[in-house]
Each structure stands twice: as C-alpha cells, then as structure tokens.
Amino acid sequence: MVVLPSSFTGGPRYMHERTQDAMTYVRVHDRPDLFITFTCNPTWKDITDALFSGQKPHDRHDILARIFHIKVKKLMALLTKGKLFGDVRCYMYSVEWQKRGLPQVHILLWLQNRISSNIINNVISAEIPDPEQDPLLYDIIKSNMIHGPCGSLNPNAPCMKENTCSKRYPRKLCRETQPGDDGYPEYKRRSTNNGGFTVRIKGLDLDNHWVVPYNPVLLRTFNCHINVEMCHSVKCIKYICKYVNKGSDQVAFTIENQKDEITMYESGRYISSAEAVWRILSLSIHERYLTVFHLAVHLENGQRVYFTPNNLAEKLNNPTKTTLLAFFELCKTDVFAKTLLYSEVPSYFVFKNNKFQRRKQGRNVDGWPTVKKDDALGRVYTIHPHNTECYYLRMLLHEIRGPTSFSDLKTVNGILHNTFQSACNVLGLLEDDNHWNNTLNEAFLSDSPSKLREQFTVMLVFCQLSDPLTLWDTHKNNLSEDIIRQIDADQEDEAHNKCLIQIEDAVLAVGGQSISNYGLPQPTRTENNFKNIVYQREINYDLNTLTKVVVSNEALLTNEQYNVYSRIMHSIKYDTGKIFFLSAPAGTGKTFLINLLLTKVRSNRSIALAVASSGFAATLLEGGRTAQSAFKLPIDLINIETPMCNIPKQSNIAKVLRDCKFIVWDE
C-alpha cells in the first residue's frame, strides 16, 4: 500500500484536511459571511505593459502568475487590514485554474459583525449602474460581470446542461433584496420599468436578469470579474467548503491491481502551463487564518509508532507522546487544564517537546492571571464510525473536561464502564435503541429466526446501534428459536453461541469485522461449529445429479462448442491460469456451454463461481450471483477516494476465492 500523505499539497488527503479545517471555523464561528471569487484579467495594464512586442497574455504565464499573486495579496490586505466589510474574524482561500488557464481565487470570509439584511445592498449589488453617473463602473460590469447570455438567447452556451443554465441564469427580478430558498439571498434587481438599466452585448440588450453579484468598490479597484455572495444559510456551508477544497481536476482513471495513491494521483490529474508556472514560482495555493491545530485521537496503546532499523529498540521503550497522551498528563498537573475540553487546549497551550506548555502571548483570561489565550483553534482528527471504540472515544473527548486517562473517560458517576460506547450511552450522548427494539419485536411476530438474524446483522453493520449488547440480551431467545428446538432445552447457552456464530459469519461477509467490534460477546468456535456458510454454499451440490447432467449434455455439444469446452477444461485441470473471452451471436448456445462447464467443475468437488454484471443475467447461470455481491465491488466509484473490494483476508469469501478453480463473469 502506497500512501500519498496529507503533507503533499493538493493531494486528496491534503484537501480532506483543508475541508475539515474549514468546518472547524464553522463549528466555532458559525457560517461564513461572504464568498468571493476573484478572477485574473489578462487585459490588466500591469500585464500588457510587461509583454514584449507581438506577445499575448497567454504567451507569458509567468507574468500572469506574478501579477495575479500580487493582486490577491492586495485584495486580502484590503479585506483584512483595510476592513472593507468590517473586522475579519477568520478567512481562507484557495487558488484554482480555469480551463483556459487563467487563475482565480475563492475566498471565504468570517466577519466580527454580521452583515444584517438592511445593509446587504450597501455591500452587494446585482444591478447595472447608471452609465451617465458612473461610466467607469458601467464599463467594468459590461466587460466582466454579465453572465452569458444563455438559455433561449444562446442554447449552445457552455453553462447549458440539459437545456437549463447550470448557474441558474437568468435570475428573477426583485424590487428589494430578500432571502432565497438555496441559502443565498435574492438580490435587488429592478426591471427597466422600475428604474433598471441595460447593456448591449453581441447585439442584445441585457438587463439585470444577467448581472453577477458584485461589490462596487472591489470592481473599481481591480477591474476584473469579482463575484461577491452573501452566505445567508447554513445549507450552503458544506457546498462552499467542498468547492473551495475540491482538489485537482482529473481527466483519466485506471483500474490497477494494487492500492497506490501516488500512481492514482499522477494518472488522474493534469496541470496546465499556468498552474505549472505558479508551482515553479513556489506561490501559495491555499492560505487561511486562524491557525487550526490538529489533535490526535487513538485507543490506549493504539498510537502509531514510526521507527527505522536503527532506532527500533529506543522507539519501543520510549515511544513519542501524542497530543492525546500529553493532554492526559497536562490535566494531572494543571488546574486550569482540568476545565478544558481536548479541542480547546490549543487556544491556551502550545505543543512543544511532546508536551503542552502555557502560552506566553495572547489575551488575559478572567480569573486566571497566568493564563493567556490565542486565536488558534483545535480540531480532533475525524474517525469513521466503523472504528467503533475510537469513534466513541472521540465523542467523549468533546464532552468530558479535563480527563487524566483513558479509564477516566470511561468512568461515569464513579462507575468504570467496559467500553467507551457504554460510557457514551450512560451520558445520554447516543440515541436509544427503542425503535430497533420495537422493530425486532414486530418482526418476531411474522418472520423466521433466520430472517431475524439477517435483520439483526444489517442493524449491527449499518445502523450504528447505541447498545447492541442490551439488544442481543433482550432478543437472543427469539434469534435462536430454531436452534433451541434442535437441542436440549437446558442447553440454551450453546444455542446462543451457535446463533452468535451465524450472526458473526453474516457480519464478516457484509461488514468485514468481528461482532466483538460491535460490542457483542465473541462466540466460542469448535471444530464442529466452525462452518463457513459461504464456502458450504459453493460445495453443497448433489454430485450424482451433476455427473448425470454432464454425461447427458456433453454429447449435445457441437464441434465448435466442444473445442471451447475441452480447452477450458484443460486449463482448469492443469491449473494454467488462463483467461478466455467467449463471444458469439444470441441463440448459439453460450449459456448452455457455460452452465455445462460450471456443472463439470462442481461435479469434481471443486468450486466454480458464476457471476454476472446484472441481476437478470445472473439468473440464467447455475448458482449465479451479481458481481457486486460475489466480489464486494464498490458501487459508487466516482465519489469513493480509493475504491477497492471489501474482502478481508480471513473472511469466508476470501477462502472461497482462494480455493476457486473457475470463475464465469457474464455480461
């Protein structure tokens, strides 16, 4: 496994961290106030004056990069030090490149004082100005801030998707600014009958329907496309954070037999000459303020230890302390730290030499004369819910102040709980399982025990149960009812153990984890009850019936079919590991031949898998299944960062694949 770490600028993990950092701003300071898009103008005088005779701006990406970088710094100084919109609480921006190569920057701005609805029109305008009173602004808007036209006026415009403008133009006219349904306000756009003006572009008179929202001061200052939007609702936050940190453009993908994130990154992205120059000049692609300090989270003795052959013994005897372990040590000795949550520590302490030390600079804290507070924010690394105990540990770190150990986190009202999940449940941090309890009670009235076990498996893997153990204790007799009937009534414990074994087999097949990871007791397996259900299904055929089918159908093969049949069976018999592609018109007996091959292999007590890319095609094969089911193929390839088949080495399906002699993949 080759990993492209988060320290690599522009990689998927780097982008994920930037997005999480942006959401930290949202957690602490609520939604951003303004979303600003600032695009390079190749006709700036600074650029044209630097060109040699006969050169065009696109011939000199070095000039474009340098000038735009200077303009971005000037813009950020105007927004922060110049306080154009007021005092800035925090900000972040990201530089990207359009398809035509021009750089643009997306800025998120959090202000100390919110922009109220009665002053929006003083900050953002979406109208064409009076050409006589303000000819400079009129010309800038005509050149840079008119969308399209598109729609019925230009159906072939680049923004048109399925006969609709992807940017939602033309916008509707409004006499006054009002809240919108999509998280952005509907800005004041007067009609020509109500005092609005028009511009003439490409022989068309366009009114305020087509104006991109802007700020007049920024347009006059920079003379380029600067879209300014107010973030009116929390609904738009995730979209903006994802858009600002969406990552590199991709033009290709490949399917490899290994998990190599570097190869995937290199093969999937392209860099325009404009971006290449920006990188060569070492100009920043992302910037942010305030600082976000990342805090580790791990189970006891579960931290990562990095070592080389030379320092192995030293690292084992004296592993480096993580921020979490340093936090526990801090809470043992510092009275003020006992009042803090884990994520609040970076505001008051700096992490230096593997321990937290009080800040020497910052604002004084009331009641604590020796404590200083800075603007730095703390963010605990995200944990996937499938990593159950670590996930609940992270949850407790956001609720319990001043813990001194892992055991301290699991202690509630003087009682030490066995798991972090149990502690979360007692503290009321989790939803109760009453609705799942009612679901199993209702299902027991009509479903068989095997169906109940299937339902319980789905709940364990996908439904994030808050207390699976209590749910098991409540319903274990119903789940084991058919097993209890088969053994003596006084052997309920054995029946429950067998039931747990079947549930664990199903959980391993679906989720790839043992049931102990979900808080259930680990079943005791003996040689008699250690059955691989998936494996048994593939070998549980009547050999006499299969042999009769082979003998009767081999005689029906045509010469061409027999040639294919014999070559494939020769490859299976001598384990040559070949791949055959069978192609023929409909009605020529492909399915007949494939089913005979499957039957022949299975009649020799070997495993043959029959899969198809569609459910309908799978029904035509003997013992057929869909490929997604058989190989655990990921469904959503587009949105998964590193798609891979979820088949653990020790799972039931892994043993089937290791012993399999023949795979048919139809369609």
XYZ file of all heavy atoms in Angstrom, residues 104-181:
616
model
N -7.833 31.847 -10.653
C -8.860 32.535 -9.880
C -8.787 32.045 -8.447
O -8.291 30.948 -8.183
C -10.261 32.313 -10.464
C -10.730 30.871 -10.477
C -12.115 30.716 -11.074
O -12.645 31.617 -11.697
N -12.708 29.559 -10.889
N -9.234 32.880 -7.522
C -9.163 32.533 -6.110
C -10.564 32.592 -5.513
O -11.351 33.485 -5.822
C -8.197 33.485 -5.361
C -8.650 34.920 -5.452
C -8.048 33.089 -3.896
N -10.881 31.579 -4.692
C -12.158 31.515 -3.975
C -11.885 31.815 -2.509
O -11.044 31.166 -1.881
C -12.806 30.146 -4.113
C -13.095 29.765 -5.527
N -14.083 30.360 -6.270
C -12.508 28.859 -6.345
C -14.104 29.824 -7.476
N -13.161 28.921 -7.546
N -12.590 32.785 -1.969
C -12.330 33.279 -0.615
C -13.569 33.108 0.250
O -14.681 33.458 -0.163
C -11.932 34.770 -0.640
C -10.740 34.989 -1.574
C -11.618 35.282 0.754
C -10.494 36.447 -1.899
N -13.367 32.558 1.442
C -14.408 32.526 2.468
C -14.025 33.508 3.555
O -12.882 33.505 4.034
C -14.536 31.125 3.069
C -15.126 30.040 2.175
C -14.991 28.690 2.858
C -16.578 30.318 1.858
N -14.985 34.342 3.959
C -14.698 35.428 4.899
C -15.676 35.358 6.067
O -16.898 35.325 5.868
C -14.840 36.771 4.177
C -13.913 37.926 4.581
C -12.458 37.544 4.362
C -14.253 39.164 3.760
N -15.131 35.299 7.291
C -15.943 35.384 8.505
C -15.722 36.762 9.121
O -14.561 37.157 9.348
C -15.537 34.321 9.511
C -16.016 32.939 9.242
C -17.062 32.300 9.828
C -15.424 31.976 8.348
N -17.183 31.021 9.351
C -16.191 30.795 8.439
C -14.340 32.004 7.463
C -15.899 29.658 7.696
C -14.048 30.877 6.720
C -14.823 29.724 6.836
N -16.767 37.506 9.380
C -16.659 38.871 9.911
C -17.012 38.907 11.401
O -17.810 38.086 11.887
C -17.594 39.810 9.141
C -17.379 39.892 7.620
C -18.446 40.784 6.994
C -15.986 40.412 7.294
N -16.418 39.884 12.096
C -16.738 40.059 13.513
C -18.202 40.430 13.691
O -18.894 39.916 14.574
C -15.847 41.160 14.113
C -14.381 40.785 14.247
C -14.119 39.868 15.433
O -15.042 39.466 16.136
N -12.857 39.533 15.635
N -18.688 41.322 12.861
C -20.088 41.755 12.919
C -20.811 41.274 11.667
O -20.375 41.542 10.540
C -20.173 43.285 13.007
C -19.497 43.821 14.253
O -19.687 43.295 15.343
N -18.697 44.873 14.097
N -21.885 40.547 11.856
C -22.642 40.002 10.741
C -23.201 41.109 9.852
O -23.512 42.216 10.328
C -23.808 39.146 11.258
C -23.369 37.913 12.036
C -22.776 36.886 11.105
N -22.459 35.656 11.796
C -21.726 34.677 11.276
N -21.231 34.837 10.065
N -21.473 33.598 11.949
N -23.338 40.789 8.562
C -23.978 41.713 7.632
C -25.487 41.536 7.773
O -26.032 40.479 7.432
C -23.538 41.440 6.187
C -22.031 41.652 6.058
C -24.288 42.341 5.213
C -21.482 41.315 4.691
N -26.145 42.530 8.302
C -27.597 42.435 8.510
C -28.330 42.661 7.197
O -27.791 43.213 6.231
C -28.057 43.458 9.557
O -27.688 44.769 9.171
N -29.584 42.242 7.167
C -30.372 42.301 5.931
C -30.587 43.726 5.435
O -30.729 43.962 4.235
C -31.732 41.615 6.154
O -32.414 42.226 7.238
N -30.571 44.704 6.346
C -30.857 46.075 5.921
C -29.651 46.772 5.288
O -29.782 47.878 4.769
C -31.369 46.902 7.115
C -30.353 46.963 8.248
O -29.614 46.010 8.455
N -30.337 48.062 8.981
N -28.461 46.126 5.346
C -27.294 46.763 4.725
C -26.695 45.903 3.609
O -25.606 46.202 3.118
C -26.205 47.075 5.773
C -25.683 45.780 6.419
C -26.718 48.036 6.828
C -24.444 45.998 7.277
N -27.387 44.827 3.218
C -26.866 43.979 2.138
C -26.652 44.796 0.868
O -25.635 44.663 0.174
C -27.820 42.794 1.864
C -27.822 41.816 3.038
C -27.400 42.057 0.596
C -28.762 40.648 2.851
N -27.596 45.671 0.549
C -27.495 46.449 -0.683
C -26.311 47.415 -0.668
O -25.859 47.854 -1.730
C -28.795 47.226 -0.926
C -29.962 46.300 -1.221
O -29.780 45.176 -1.694
N -31.175 46.753 -0.922
N -25.802 47.752 0.534
C -24.611 48.599 0.611
C -23.336 47.814 0.336
O -22.294 48.402 0.044
C -24.509 49.254 1.989
C -25.697 50.150 2.296
O -26.349 50.657 1.378
N -25.985 50.341 3.572
N -23.422 46.484 0.458
C -22.243 45.630 0.302
C -22.245 44.922 -1.051
O -21.221 44.840 -1.727
C -22.189 44.592 1.445
C -21.021 43.641 1.255
C -22.108 45.291 2.786
N -23.399 44.407 -1.447
C -23.506 43.608 -2.678
C -24.567 44.213 -3.577
O -25.674 44.553 -3.128
C -23.876 42.144 -2.348
C -22.820 41.523 -1.423
C -23.999 41.317 -3.614
C -23.174 40.142 -0.936
N -24.238 44.323 -4.849
C -25.180 44.834 -5.842
C -25.295 43.828 -6.982
O -24.341 43.116 -7.292
C -24.714 46.183 -6.394
O -25.585 46.627 -7.418
N -26.469 43.748 -7.570
C -26.694 42.871 -8.724
C -27.428 43.646 -9.816
O -28.280 43.098 -10.510
C -27.488 41.634 -8.306
N -27.078 44.932 -9.927
C -27.746 45.789 -10.906
C -26.718 46.505 -11.781
O -25.571 46.742 -11.377
C -28.607 46.832 -10.196
C -29.820 46.256 -9.490
C -30.784 47.335 -9.044
O -30.326 48.354 -8.485
O -31.984 47.179 -9.280
N -27.139 46.847 -12.984
C -26.327 47.646 -13.902
C -26.411 49.103 -13.463
O -27.506 49.636 -13.284
C -26.834 47.486 -15.340
C -26.758 46.007 -15.767
C -26.040 48.370 -16.302
C -27.510 45.701 -17.050
N -25.261 49.775 -13.252
C -25.308 51.169 -12.782
C -25.720 52.133 -13.888
O -25.757 51.781 -15.073
C -23.868 51.422 -12.331
C -23.052 50.513 -13.178
C -23.892 49.289 -13.408
N -26.017 53.347 -13.491
C -26.371 54.408 -14.445
C -25.128 54.747 -15.270
O -24.103 55.179 -14.726
C -26.856 55.640 -13.676
C -27.422 56.714 -14.604
O -27.028 56.749 -15.786
O -28.249 57.516 -14.132
N -25.176 54.563 -16.598
C -23.984 54.819 -17.428
C -23.549 56.282 -17.440
O -22.389 56.572 -17.732
C -24.425 54.360 -18.823
C -25.916 54.402 -18.798
C -26.318 54.101 -17.397
N -24.445 57.199 -17.112
C -24.079 58.613 -17.117
C -23.465 59.025 -15.782
O -22.493 59.785 -15.742
C -25.315 59.463 -17.413
C -25.876 59.242 -18.815
C -27.073 60.131 -19.108
O -27.459 60.909 -18.197
O -27.619 60.039 -20.220
N -24.005 58.503 -14.662
C -23.487 58.881 -13.348
C -22.197 58.132 -12.991
O -21.337 58.666 -12.298
C -24.544 58.617 -12.265
C -25.752 59.528 -12.359
C -26.706 59.322 -11.188
O -26.437 58.533 -10.285
N -27.833 60.033 -11.206
N -22.050 56.894 -13.453
C -20.871 56.092 -13.109
C -20.402 55.311 -14.335
O -20.539 54.088 -14.405
C -21.201 55.140 -11.956
C -19.963 54.638 -11.237
O -18.866 54.733 -11.812
O -20.099 54.156 -10.094
N -19.844 56.007 -15.339
C -19.437 55.325 -16.582
C -18.325 54.305 -16.370
O -18.275 53.282 -17.062
C -18.976 56.473 -17.480
C -18.647 57.592 -16.539
C -19.575 57.450 -15.386
N -17.393 54.540 -15.402
C -16.302 53.594 -15.160
C -16.842 52.254 -14.687
O -16.488 51.195 -15.232
C -15.344 54.170 -14.108
C -14.220 53.231 -13.640
C -13.336 52.836 -14.809
C -13.412 53.867 -12.520
N -17.707 52.274 -13.673
C -18.283 51.031 -13.157
C -19.154 50.359 -14.213
O -19.164 49.133 -14.335
C -19.096 51.326 -11.893
C -19.695 50.111 -11.172
C -18.596 49.164 -10.707
C -20.553 50.551 -9.984
N -19.868 51.180 -15.005
C -20.724 50.641 -16.073
C -19.884 49.837 -17.061
O -20.261 48.713 -17.454
C -21.442 51.791 -16.771
C -22.366 51.357 -17.896
C -23.680 50.985 -17.637
C -21.916 51.328 -19.219
C -24.525 50.591 -18.662
C -22.753 50.942 -20.254
C -24.057 50.573 -19.974
O -24.889 50.184 -20.997
N -18.735 50.363 -17.471
C -17.884 49.670 -18.447
C -17.281 48.396 -17.852
O -17.160 47.373 -18.545
C -16.768 50.603 -18.921
C -17.292 51.745 -19.790
O -18.392 51.584 -20.366
O -16.609 52.778 -19.882
N -16.898 48.447 -16.567
C -16.321 47.256 -15.926
C -17.352 46.135 -15.857
O -17.053 44.969 -16.147
C -15.804 47.607 -14.518
C -14.627 48.575 -14.609
C -15.391 46.340 -13.773
C -14.158 49.097 -13.258
N -18.586 46.489 -15.478
C -19.645 45.477 -15.376
C -19.991 44.923 -16.749
O -20.185 43.709 -16.917
C -20.888 46.082 -14.681
C -20.576 46.314 -13.202
C -22.097 45.177 -14.842
C -21.660 47.030 -12.453
N -20.015 45.772 -17.744
C -20.305 45.318 -19.103
C -19.256 44.322 -19.578
O -19.577 43.342 -20.263
C -20.368 46.525 -20.040
C -20.673 46.155 -21.492
C -20.762 47.395 -22.354
C -21.030 47.022 -23.822
N -21.119 48.228 -24.677
N -17.994 44.533 -19.192
C -16.901 43.678 -19.657
C -16.742 42.410 -18.820
O -16.300 41.379 -19.348
C -15.579 44.462 -19.621
O -15.660 45.625 -20.404
N -17.089 42.476 -17.537
C -16.707 41.376 -16.642
C -17.843 40.709 -15.885
O -17.667 39.571 -15.428
C -15.701 41.891 -15.606
C -14.435 42.430 -16.228
O -13.606 41.682 -16.733
N -14.274 43.749 -16.204
N -18.976 41.368 -15.687
C -19.963 40.873 -14.729
C -21.314 40.521 -15.345
O -22.300 40.379 -14.618
C -20.179 41.909 -13.620
C -18.915 42.300 -12.867
S -18.012 40.899 -12.170
C -19.176 40.305 -10.962
N -21.384 40.364 -16.650
C -22.623 39.951 -17.302
C -22.502 38.477 -17.676
O -21.574 38.086 -18.393
C -22.919 40.799 -18.560
C -23.033 42.276 -18.191
C -24.195 40.308 -19.238
C -24.175 42.604 -17.252
N -23.416 37.674 -17.175
C -23.399 36.239 -17.479
C -24.023 35.984 -18.839
O -25.064 36.538 -19.170
C -24.183 35.461 -16.425
C -24.273 33.990 -16.725
N -23.265 33.118 -16.399
C -25.249 33.254 -17.336
C -23.619 31.905 -16.783
N -24.815 31.957 -17.352
N -23.395 35.082 -19.578
C -23.979 34.631 -20.849
C -23.887 35.628 -21.965
O -22.817 36.197 -22.197
N -25.005 35.852 -22.645
C -26.335 35.275 -22.363
C -26.413 33.792 -22.715
O -25.609 33.289 -23.496
C -27.270 36.104 -23.247
C -26.414 36.523 -24.387
C -25.033 36.733 -23.829
N -27.392 33.124 -22.124
C -27.587 31.701 -22.365
C -29.080 31.437 -22.461
O -29.863 32.354 -22.713
C -26.947 30.880 -21.246
S -27.589 31.248 -19.595
N -29.495 30.205 -22.247
C -30.917 29.860 -22.327
C -31.445 29.986 -23.744
O -30.772 29.606 -24.713
N -32.627 30.541 -23.897
C -33.247 30.682 -25.221
C -32.470 31.645 -26.116
O -32.519 31.541 -27.336
C -34.690 31.170 -25.060
O -34.724 32.422 -24.386
N -31.699 32.572 -25.488
C -30.907 33.512 -26.285
C -29.660 32.860 -26.864
O -29.151 33.299 -27.900
C -30.507 34.715 -25.416
C -31.655 35.539 -24.823
C -31.107 36.672 -23.975
C -32.542 36.097 -25.946
N -29.163 31.808 -26.199
C -27.970 31.109 -26.682
C -27.972 29.684 -26.136
O -27.315 29.388 -25.146
C -26.712 31.861 -26.242
C -25.445 31.213 -26.777
O -25.489 30.353 -27.667
N -24.309 31.599 -26.223
N -28.695 28.761 -26.789
C -28.804 27.385 -26.277
C -27.472 26.647 -26.233
O -27.350 25.646 -25.523
C -29.774 26.714 -27.266
C -30.473 27.837 -27.957
C -29.504 28.973 -28.009
N -26.473 27.096 -26.993
C -25.183 26.402 -27.054
C -24.151 26.971 -26.084
O -22.961 26.658 -26.182
C -24.624 26.470 -28.481
C -25.522 25.768 -29.485
O -26.082 24.710 -29.190
N -25.676 26.346 -30.663
N -24.571 27.793 -25.151
C -23.641 28.378 -24.185
C -23.015 27.277 -23.329
O -23.651 26.251 -23.049
C -24.369 29.382 -23.293
N -21.745 27.450 -22.907
C -21.058 26.410 -22.120
C -21.760 26.059 -20.813
O -21.600 24.949 -20.315
C -19.680 27.030 -21.844
C -19.497 28.075 -22.900
C -20.867 28.597 -23.204
N -22.517 27.004 -20.256
C -23.167 26.752 -18.971
C -24.448 25.930 -19.104
O -25.038 25.545 -18.091
C -23.491 28.077 -18.272
S -24.606 29.137 -19.226
N -24.902 25.658 -20.323
C -26.172 24.958 -20.529
C -26.012 23.457 -20.294
O -25.146 22.805 -20.896
C -26.690 25.217 -21.939
C -27.069 26.664 -22.211
S -28.442 27.221 -21.187
C -29.785 26.278 -21.901
N -26.813 22.912 -19.381
C -26.850 21.485 -19.093
C -28.303 21.026 -19.161
O -29.140 21.493 -18.396
C -26.285 21.180 -17.698
C -24.898 21.750 -17.439
C -23.829 21.090 -18.292
C -22.454 21.660 -17.974
N -21.409 21.143 -18.872
N -28.601 20.138 -20.120
C -29.960 19.623 -20.291
C -30.951 20.770 -20.481
O -31.990 20.844 -19.825
C -30.370 18.751 -19.104
C -29.493 17.522 -18.931
C -29.916 16.668 -17.756
O -30.876 17.068 -17.057
O -29.304 15.614 -17.538
N -30.577 21.700 -21.370
C -31.423 22.836 -21.757
C -31.694 23.803 -20.605
O -32.656 24.575 -20.648
C -32.760 22.343 -22.339
C -32.566 21.495 -23.580
O -31.693 21.795 -24.396
N -33.356 20.437 -23.718
N -30.865 23.750 -19.551
C -31.020 24.656 -18.414
C -29.657 25.209 -18.034
O -28.652 24.487 -18.067
C -31.628 23.928 -17.203
O -32.874 23.333 -17.592
C -31.879 24.889 -16.053
N -29.616 26.461 -17.644
C -28.355 27.076 -17.226
C -27.930 26.503 -15.876
O -28.689 26.556 -14.909
C -28.499 28.599 -17.134
S -27.028 29.435 -16.508
N -26.714 25.951 -15.808
C -26.214 25.370 -14.570
C -25.962 26.428 -13.496
O -25.862 26.107 -12.312
C -24.923 24.589 -14.833
O -23.928 25.435 -15.383
N -25.849 27.698 -13.902
C -25.638 28.790 -12.948
C -26.947 29.482 -12.572
O -26.943 30.504 -11.897
C -24.675 29.837 -13.530
C -23.394 29.250 -14.093
C -22.576 28.542 -13.026
C -21.264 28.013 -13.597
N -20.495 27.237 -12.616
N -28.056 28.940 -13.067
C -29.415 29.415 -12.735
C -29.709 30.822 -13.270
O -30.374 31.602 -12.624
C -29.662 29.339 -11.229
C -29.559 27.939 -10.675
C -29.790 27.867 -9.190
N -28.738 28.536 -8.440
C -28.939 29.634 -7.729
N -30.132 30.199 -7.673
N -27.945 30.192 -7.076
N -29.140 31.146 -14.419
C -29.485 32.405 -15.072
C -30.480 32.121 -16.191
O -30.496 31.021 -16.753
C -28.218 33.069 -15.630
C -27.390 33.755 -14.571
C -26.423 33.061 -13.856
C -27.605 35.092 -14.253
C -25.674 33.683 -12.873
C -26.856 35.727 -13.272
C -25.889 35.014 -12.585
O -25.160 35.640 -11.607
N -31.297 33.128 -16.519
C -31.418 34.467 -15.915
C -32.102 34.423 -14.546
O -33.014 33.641 -14.329
C -32.275 35.235 -16.917
C -33.093 34.178 -17.596
C -32.222 32.945 -17.659
N -31.631 35.281 -13.614
C -32.222 35.363 -12.282
C -33.493 36.206 -12.337
O -33.659 37.049 -13.224
C -31.233 36.007 -11.305
C -29.901 35.273 -11.204
C -30.065 33.895 -10.581
N -28.805 33.170 -10.529
C -27.964 33.204 -9.507
N -28.244 33.961 -8.451
N -26.846 32.505 -9.534
N -34.365 35.981 -11.362
C -35.618 36.726 -11.366
C -35.412 38.139 -10.814
O -34.518 38.381 -9.998
C -36.695 35.990 -10.588
C -36.510 35.964 -9.091
C -37.697 35.247 -8.441
C -37.624 35.283 -6.928
N -38.788 34.641 -6.301
N -36.229 39.039 -11.257
C -36.141 40.435 -10.825
C -36.835 40.613 -9.477
O -37.874 39.989 -9.210
C -36.774 41.352 -11.867
C -36.133 41.316 -13.269
C -36.916 42.190 -14.234
C -34.680 41.763 -13.202
N -36.260 41.469 -8.627
C -36.827 41.753 -7.308
C -36.723 43.255 -7.032
O -35.692 43.872 -7.331
C -36.076 40.998 -6.201
S -36.156 39.208 -6.320
N -37.750 43.794 -6.444
C -37.697 45.212 -6.079
C -36.767 45.443 -4.896
O -36.120 46.481 -4.805
C -39.103 45.723 -5.742
C -40.009 45.847 -6.948
C -41.254 46.644 -6.599
N -42.088 46.883 -7.760
C -43.148 47.686 -7.765
N -43.501 48.300 -6.631
N -43.863 47.864 -8.853
N -36.712 44.476 -3.961
C -35.847 44.578 -2.798
C -35.187 43.221 -2.543
O -35.722 42.170 -2.919
C -36.640 45.016 -1.554
C -37.230 46.408 -1.645
C -36.178 47.508 -1.719
O -35.035 47.253 -1.269
O -36.496 48.604 -2.219
N -34.050 43.244 -1.899
C -33.341 42.004 -1.552
C -34.159 41.209 -0.543
O -34.696 41.757 0.414
C -31.960 42.333 -0.962
O -31.206 43.058 -1.940
C -31.216 41.071 -0.586
N -34.226 39.892 -0.755
C -34.994 39.027 0.134
C -34.313 37.664 0.233
O -33.525 37.292 -0.630
C -36.427 38.863 -0.375
C -36.519 38.292 -1.787
C -37.931 38.365 -2.340
O -38.714 39.222 -1.974
N -38.252 37.447 -3.230
N -34.586 36.886 1.311
C -33.957 35.568 1.466
C -34.350 34.628 0.341
O -35.481 34.664 -0.162
C -34.492 35.070 2.814
C -34.946 36.300 3.523
C -35.411 37.249 2.459
N -33.407 33.753 -0.065
C -33.677 32.766 -1.109
C -33.837 31.379 -0.531
O -33.567 31.132 0.648
N -34.281 30.452 -1.369
C -34.518 29.082 -0.906
C -33.243 28.243 -0.890
O -33.207 27.184 -0.272
C -35.551 28.395 -1.820
C -36.909 29.075 -1.741
O -37.219 29.632 -0.673
O -37.643 29.045 -2.749
